[in-house]
Amino acid sequence: MAAGGTLQTLERGIAVLQAVAASESGLRIAEIAERLGVHRAIAYRLVNTLADQHMLRRLPGGKIVLGSASLLLGLNAEGALRTLAGPIVQALADRTQATAFLSTAVGEEGVAVLTSTPKDAFLNINYRVGSRHPLTRGAAGIAILAGRGATEGEPESVTNARELGYSLTEGQLQKGATGIASPVPMPREFSVWQDLSIGVVGVGELDHDLAIKEVLVAAQELAWAAAQA
């Protein structure tokens, strides 16, 4: 236990998160150890623990960046992502007359982090913030996987979505519902927001062609807004 009755391990874990958040492109284990003034083995265990909880994630080159769970912690506040993406998600809902959403990956699940319904709609699907489903089921999760690099043995739906720029599913998460989503090509400096997809879900007379067009536009709008932030 650290001085003043605080927990040293917790303090170190918070220090790791703060150090990684302050970096422009992530940190390596050795850099984290140096900044905390601890042995590399301790830094390695801290990173592993935080990565297991999806607070951190490792990039292919070995650098450590913030994970998607770090993003979810701030969703109840008016954070940067809500401010940035909220108007775009709402506009997408209004243009398509369908429920619009922004989703991210937490482990092997897709999680809705923002949702909006058309302002003048009579009936819409209730898609709650925090709704979860496997990444391999539903348009949002498939789009997130399509936004990553290709992997051996990936589902055909992911490969197709990567080629088209969007995923379209019918009845996978809710009977009679159609989901359309596109990965969001966020700037690399937004490392915590890399696994994002934006899309719509609707029933009945959803105009597929219009929805696909507007979802693709919304994905580019959000990426552009992030680049200007």
Side-chain angles (χ1 to χ4, degrees), residues 15-161:
V16 172
L17 292 173
Q18 291 174 332
V20 172
S23 66
E24 293 185 358
S25 58
L27 298 173
R28 299 186 183 277
I29 293 290
E31 293 173 314
I32 293 173
E34 181 180 356
R35 295 192 183 199
L36 268 64
V38 299
H39 193 277
R40 286 184 61 173
I42 294 175
Y44 184 81
R45 290 197 296 271
L46 288 167
V47 168
N48 274 354
T49 300
L50 291 166
D52 284 346
Q53 299 301 316
H54 311 296
M55 299 295 291
L56 297 175
R57 68 186 181 98
R58 293 177 177 84
L59 297 178
K63 287 193 173 183
I64 311 300
V65 298
L66 291 178
S68 51
S70 296
L71 168 63
L72 292 176
L73 281 178
L75 287 178
N76 290 327
E78 287 296 322
L81 180 61
R82 185 180 296 277
T83 301
L84 193 70
I88 295 172
V89 175
Q90 181 63 61
L92 176 60
D94 293 337
R95 292 197 299 261
T96 59
Q97 288 297 290
T99 299
F101 59 82
L102 183 71
S103 295
T104 190
V106 177
E108 299 303 314
E109 292 183 311
V111 181
V113 295
L114 281 174
T115 64
S116 292
T117 56
K119 295 175 182 177
D120 56 353
F122 176 72
L123 179 65
N124 276 287
I125 289 179
N126 181 24
Y127 194 30
R128 296 181 297 103
V129 168
S131 297
R132 294 170 175 259
H133 53 79
L135 288 174
T136 53
R137 288 187 59 80
I142 292 172
I144 288 172
L145 293 176
R148 300 174 179 177
T151 59
E152 185 176 355
E154 69 180 11
E156 185 178 357
S157 59
V158 175
T159 305
N160 291 339

